[in-house]
Amino acid sequence: MISALALAESLPSMGKAPDVLARLVHVGKIYGAGEHAVAALSNASLDIRAGEVTLIEGPSGSGKTTLISILGLLLTPTSGEIWLEGRNVAGLGERALPPLRARNFGFVFQGFNLFPALSALENVAMAIQMKDPKFKKPRDEARRLLELVGLGPRMHHLPADLSGGQKQRVAIARALGGNPPILVGDEPTAALDTKTALSVMELLRELASERGRAVVVVTHDPRLERFADRVVRVEDGLIQSISSPSATASH
Ligand code: ADP
Ligand code: MG
């Protein structure tokens, strides 16, 4: 008997590359309607592959957050397809999306979004438990993830007692809870000084190269390009170019 997953994986429309984890095809988003309609994104097509860091760059208001939110199933597109787990999930209803989102994505935001009254360990453990209430020993898993991001010695600290870079590492550990294949960040380094931003990006690079995660990061900062396999340039709601800055660099 062929499992549903094996069958899904064999769908020709996902292409031959087995490492394409998500694919956007001609995705568009119009906010509002009538006179107030804003075409925030048009005709965006993009493959997200395991082991790759993809940067999404562009001016303010160009559609970066819209693009990454559609990819992460946080926002429904007006048109186009979102391929995930071997099928187009763009038309799925509200009830089907949360488990799909939880299985596939970990999120990291500019503002960290940690619970101030919970320690680093508790923040991560709670996220693991929310993703999977039946998860055995979420605190052990949280400890493992905090060690992975280099925060083992500070796991019992409250967010207020951590630096910005440390808070973002907690947020990354939390995003890794449940082992999602794709990490999505909307300007995760924007609140950090340059040195810290680079070290957080280095961690995301490692998670891609050594742990096979697909990392997709929105940024304003061209200095992050050296960590990227691909840079997607968005302007006025259109993908203007997709380039490979580090094609000849080693990482
Ligand atoms: P970026 O992240 O690149 O700054 P966004 O994706 O947030 O850009 O926004 C793209 C465009 O869509 C902008 O013109 C913005 O004003 C508009 N927009 C974003 N969110 C909404 C919304 N909820 N309602 C109406 N317009 C929106
Ligand atoms: Mg934005």
Side-chain angles (χ1 to χ4, degrees):
M1 194 173 127
I2 304 174
S3 76
L5 187 62
L7 198 63
E9 277 170 356
S10 71
L11 281 177
S13 28
M14 277 305 269
K16 285 195 185 117
D19 57 347
V20 174
L21 298 177
R23 169 172 287 171
L24 300 181
V25 185
H26 303 314
V27 163
K29 178 69 184 180
I30 298 171
Y31 291 105
E35 274 178 52
H36 304 292
V38 177
L41 191 68
S42 305
N43 205 22
S45 296
L46 182 65
D47 280 357
I48 299 302
R49 297 194 192 89
E52 279 195 359
V53 174
T54 303
L55 283 192
I56 299 175
E57 284 189 1
S60 185
S62 58
K64 304 181 300 295
T65 294
T66 301
L67 176 62
I68 207 169
S69 302
I70 290 172
L71 171 69
L73 307 180
L74 296 169
L75 183 68
T76 310
T78 315
S79 54
E81 300 170 3
I82 307 167
W83 286 79
L84 207 58
E85 300 183 353
R87 60 187 171 140
N88 176 16
V89 303
L92 294 183
E94 289 293 319
R95 287 179 54 185
L97 293 180
L100 204 57
R101 193 188 297 134
R103 268 203 307 277
N104 285 282
F105 299 99
F107 297 94
V108 186
F109 301 98
Q110 178 178 343
F112 321 126
N113 301 2
L114 300 174
F115 285 97
L118 300 183
S119 70
L121 183 71
E122 290 161 343
N123 262 286
V124 178
M126 189 181 70
I128 293 167
Q129 206 151 33
M130 280 172 70
K131 270 198 170 181
D132 178 4
K134 285 182 253 166
F135 195 95
K136 301 264 191 306
K137 306 200 173 173
R139 285 174 74 90
D140 288 356
E141 176 67 359
R143 199 168 288 127
R144 186 183 76 78
L145 292 172
L146 284 164
E147 276 160 11
L148 178 69
V149 301
L151 263 198
R154 296 213 151 67
M155 66 174 94
H156 298 296
H157 286 46
L158 293 175
D161 299 326
L162 297 171
S163 69
Q166 290 167 342
K167 280 190 267 221
Q168 201 53 302
R169 281 168 192 271
V170 177
I172 292 169
R174 178 183 56 185
L176 290 168
N179 228 6
I182 308 172
L183 292 182
V184 164
D186 195 349
E187 314 223 16
T189 63
L192 307 175
D193 63 72
T194 302
K195 194 167 157 240
T196 312
L198 294 179
S199 85
V200 163
M201 206 56 215
E202 210 164 288
L203 169 64
L204 292 171
R205 174 72 258 173
E206 273 171 32
L207 291 168
S209 301
E210 289 161 32
R211 314 226 163 219
R213 293 297 183 282
V215 173
V216 189
V217 167
V218 167
T219 184
H220 267 103
D221 188 349
R223 284 168 303 188
L224 302 188
E225 281 182 9
R226 65 172 146 116
F227 298 99
D229 295 293
R230 287 186 307 158
V231 175
V232 178
R233 180 86 198 161
V234 185
E235 277 170 39
D236 286 333
L238 289 170
I239 292 182
Q240 292 292 349
S241 63
I242 301 180
S243 56
S244 302
S246 60
T248 52
S250 58
H251 44 242

